[in-house]
Amino acid sequence: MHGLVNRALQRFLVDTYGQNVWDDVRLEARLTIENFESMLLYPDHMTMDTIKAASRVLQRDRASVLEDLGTFLLSSQGLEALRRLLRLGGDSFYEFLISLDDLSGRAKLAMPDLDMPELTFVQIGESSFAVDVNWTFPGAGYVFLGALRALADDYGALAIIEADEASGGKERITIELFDADFASGRSFSLAEQLQ
Amino acid sequence: MTKTMNERLQLLYLPERGFDQLMPLHIWVGADERILNVGPTFQKIWGDDTVTGMPVFDVIELRRPQIEESLTAILAQEANRLTVGLKNGSDVAFRGTFVPASDGSGGLLNLSLGVSFNKVVTDCRLVLSDFSYCDQTLDLLYLAEANAAIARENRNLTERLEQAKQAAEAQALTDSLTGLSNRRAMDAHLKSLTEPQNPRFGLMHIDLDFFKEINDTHGHAAGDHMLAHAAKIFRSEVRATDIVARIGGDEFVILLRECDDPSLMEGIANRLIARLEEPIEFAGQSCRVSASAGSVLSTQYDQADPDKMLNDADLALYASKNRGRAQHTFFNESLLAPISGSLQTH
């Protein structure tokens, strides 16, 4: 698994629960390293072990840990770059959802060795949609569930976003969009300069 | 009957917003060189004043090719690549292409931001809807953002690695050039050797002669080669349990365990010097050095002290240098007097 994913997971645990929890998770997962480096590659089992250990240490089920990770990725101050990258997808939450088809390709442009989930946008009804998440790593659907909920807030859209049970390696998230402009949302300008 | 291309184009009535949607950065120029219409994004980049109706060459400047700014001249540039700037003091450089109208009454100039997209997006506060969905500028923006984030991550990683490297070097015990012990390791060995009651070991301090000349005439690579060569000789002339350290540029210290025999040390020193004096080849050139050495034995002291022993071996070494180099001197108390005397004359 790419270090960016592992590093994000570590950051989520440290920023949300503190260094002590991260140390406990590290021991529980029998990681041989103190920190994940975002620019290195790690064996896949290290990511799985870390998630399993986090769920045990926090005494919470895997799905809710992963969902919180997704929310964290989009709302943390330190990860502003990720939010900006996703918001480049569209001016509205609906346009953003459509742009998810391109996300994996765009990420590959920037980082060819990053194994990104394949996302497929499916229009079900006029205001109901689904996003299929296809990744080697099971549970990614929950990360996107948290991320999409955070992004709907970010756009100021009123939507019900739920996880559908996994089937055949695919995990499905369903979205019922009630009001695309429910609230004003967080401001977003292409011109915001990254530090 | 099949229609000609021209007839098809006649039938292609685009809605009014058609051009704007397809080409948000176009300028439609009429026969009088005045602007008939511009795309909404062009208007936004230009600023608050309405562009439509202005003479086109009051708005744009042709940077390349450098031709006369007239409709006639630009009509001849059909299908050529144009570089277009603005006459409002902005330093935007558009890439453009011009298509004359079929009846010659003006034409259509379409523009793109080219590689200056990042600056324009920032300066003119463009938003996603200012771009056509067909425009890859958004993908470029995405790439530029991702690139900046990755570069930042890489910089952080490099900084952490550099700090780790410095920490590792600070804790290292080996001289990376020669593979010998370094100053830190030598200090630690010397301290532990002086710890037991009545320790028995010898300390030899060696300094290469004419080493600076090798560096100056043959270059640093030759100097490094000579240091590695000297290290090999020192290592081969002592037992595996003895310690050979490079403690500075061309300075070495040898610690001989279980040694209380001055003539043994004298013998080793003379062999080292003789072997070092054999010229060696480096990059087709012959290099020669020699060495001066000074020694002490721990048994010369009631209380063997690392600093005192190093200092005394150093005095003996300088006595060797003063007597004309390429020799070994054993430390004795008489060396203290003339050296301190000569220091006073400075």
Side-chain angles (χ1 to χ4, degrees):
Chain A
M1 184 69 68
H2 201 285
L4 269 180
V5 176
N6 294 321
R7 180 86 182 171
L9 181 58
Q10 173 184 346
R11 230 163 139 168
F12 160 64
L13 292 170
V14 173
D15 286 12
T16 316
Y17 302 103
Q19 183 67 35
N20 290 345
V21 167
W22 167 245
D23 289 336
D24 290 346
V25 169
R26 213 156 46 78
L27 288 176
E28 176 79 24
R30 297 173 194 273
L31 297 184
T32 48
I33 46 153
E34 270 185 51
N35 295 296
F36 283 118
E37 285 295 348
S38 47
M39 289 294 130
L40 299 179
L41 297 173
Y42 297 91
D44 282 355
H45 74 83
M46 286 174 89
T47 313
M48 312 304 159
D49 294 349
T50 307
I51 294 167
K52 203 186 285 175
S55 154
R56 223 174 286 156
V57 169
L58 297 170
Q59 296 187 307
R60 295 181 47 202
D61 65 285
R62 215 174 102 91
S64 72
V65 172
L66 290 173
E67 191 190 328
D68 281 1
L69 167 64
T71 310
F72 171 82
L73 292 178
L74 268 295
S75 45
S76 161
Q77 282 289 314
L79 291 163
E80 184 68 3
L82 187 62
R83 173 188 165 251
R84 279 187 57 75
L85 283 176
L86 289 171
R87 290 261 335 220
L88 281 175
D91 266 342
S92 69
F93 188 57
Y94 174 68
E95 277 186 34
F96 162 78
L97 288 174
I98 296 174
S99 80
L100 285 176
D101 280 347
D102 291 337
L103 187 64
S104 173
R106 281 183 168 175
K108 278 222 158 64
L109 265 185
M111 294 202 87
D113 58 352
L114 180 60
D115 170 32
M116 274 289 286
E118 288 293 333
L119 302 178
T120 314
F121 174 74
V122 186
Q123 182 115 25
I124 295 171
E126 199 182 328
S127 61
S128 57
F129 323 99
V131 175
D132 285 338
V133 183
N134 194 1
W135 206 9
T136 45
F137 151 52
Y142 292 106
V143 181
F144 279 89
L145 177 66
L148 287 180
R149 282 181 175 162
L151 265 164
D153 277 354
D154 209 283
Y155 276 104
L158 179 62
I160 292 182
I161 305 174
E162 304 280 7
D164 215 341
E165 276 319 298
S167 61
K170 256 187 204 167
E171 299 179 58
R172 174 166 277 212
I173 299 163
T174 56
I175 300 137
E176 198 73 39
L177 187 57
F178 293 105
D179 185 351
D181 301 309
F182 174 69
S184 58
R186 273 169 81 188
S187 76
F188 177 74
S189 155
L190 295 177
E192 281 170 30
Q193 281 295 298
L194 286 169
Q195 293 309 302
Chain B
M1 275 260 299
T2 49
K3 292 188 179 71
T4 65
M5 185 67 176
N6 232 345
E7 285 165 337
R8 282 180 202 279
L9 281 173
Q10 297 288 318
L11 291 171
L12 180 70
Y13 296 113
L14 291 176
E16 207 180 316
R17 65 180 183 282
F19 275 11
D20 290 354
Q21 192 181 321
L22 288 172
M23 299 177 286
L25 278 172
H26 77 271
I27 301 175
W28 184 5
V29 190
D32 58 355
E33 292 191 4
R34 282 185 184 269
I35 294 174
L36 293 171
N37 188 47
V38 293
T41 307
F42 183 85
Q43 177 66 61
K44 192 163 177 181
I45 292 172
W46 174 258
D48 293 333
D49 300 332
T50 306
V51 188
T52 303
M54 286 178 73
V56 68
F57 294 113
D58 284 0
V59 175
I60 61 160
E61 60 173 2
L62 273 176
R63 296 203 183 148
R64 205 166 296 273
Q66 287 175 337
I67 51 169
E68 183 203 345
E69 292 190 336
S70 74
L71 191 59
T72 328
I74 205 173
L75 283 174
Q77 292 298 322
E78 180 175 2
N80 283 350
R81 177 195 166 127
L82 308 176
T83 305
V84 175
L86 295 181
K87 285 190 178 153
N88 65 356
S90 132
D91 55 359
V92 185
F94 297 98
R95 222 178 268 161
T97 182
F98 185 81
V99 182
S102 10
D103 61 359
S105 65
L108 197 64
L109 176 64
N110 194 22
L111 301 171
S112 94
L113 293 179
V115 287
S116 62
F117 68 92
N118 225 342
K119 190 174 176 340
V120 182
V121 161
T122 309
D123 291 354
C124 306
R125 305 197 72 80
L126 299 185
V127 299
L128 291 168
S129 55
D130 288 327
F131 295 93
S132 148
Y133 289 127
C134 301
D135 188 344
Q136 285 198 300
T137 302
L138 286 180
D139 296 304
L140 283 177
L141 272 174
Y142 185 91
L143 208 52
E145 294 260 351
N147 235 336
I150 292 164
R152 215 165 36 241
E153 283 297 330
N154 270 330
R155 240 183 347 263
N156 291 343
L157 175 58
T158 311
E159 269 169 28
R160 279 195 298 275
L161 287 178
E162 184 58 34
Q163 282 167 7
K165 180 168 161 268
Q166 282 174 6
E169 274 172 359
Q171 288 166 17
L173 297 172
T174 308
D175 168 44
S176 55
L177 177 64
T178 60
L180 298 177
S181 296
N182 63 11
R183 172 83 208 208
R184 247 177 86 90
M186 192 279 292
D187 283 337
H189 282 299
L190 181 55
K191 186 165 174 289
S192 71
L193 280 170
T194 52
E195 265 160 11
Q197 287 273 307
N198 304 319
R200 220 161 55 86
F201 68 92
L203 186 161
M204 187 185 298
H205 190 181
I206 306 161
D207 191 286
L208 300 188
D209 296 325
F210 315 114
F211 178 71
K212 192 179 174 302
E213 284 80 347
I214 294 214
N215 262 340
D216 291 349
T217 43
H218 300 291
H220 284 280
D224 288 353
H225 183 72
M226 184 52 85
L227 289 171
H229 174 68
K232 223 176 278 171
I233 291 176
F234 297 160
R235 201 61 264 181
S236 68
E237 288 294 335
V238 299
R239 296 161 299 180
T241 50
D242 295 328
I243 290 130
V244 183
R246 175 170 170 237
I247 60 164
D250 59 346
E251 279 184 75
F252 298 83
V253 164
I254 299 179
L255 300 173
L256 296 154
R257 293 181 196 272
E258 310 295 324
C259 173
D260 55 7
D261 180 0
S263 60
L264 176 73
M265 290 195 82
E266 182 85 35
I268 291 175
N270 289 336
R271 272 206 306 284
L272 294 179
I273 293 168
R275 282 188 63 187
L276 267 178
E277 285 178 348
E278 293 165 16
I280 61 161
E281 286 269 313
F282 180 78
Q285 286 180 307
S286 176
C287 303
R288 294 184 83 102
V289 284
S290 184
S292 301
S295 298
V296 286
L297 285 170
S298 61
T299 46
Q300 286 174 280
Y301 304 89
D302 295 333
Q303 191 79 50
D305 170 72
D307 289 341
K308 170 82 174 133
M309 285 182 73
L310 275 174
N311 203 33
D312 290 348
D314 200 40
L315 289 176
L317 167 65
Y318 275 90
S320 296
K321 293 243 180 211
N322 285 339
R323 285 192 287 132
R325 299 186 167 144
Q327 52 193 293
H328 173 251
T329 306
F330 216 90
F331 173 74
N332 62 64
E333 295 290 326
S334 70
L335 288 174
L336 293 168
I339 298 290
S340 57
S342 75
L343 278 177
Q344 279 163 9
T345 61
H346 281 287

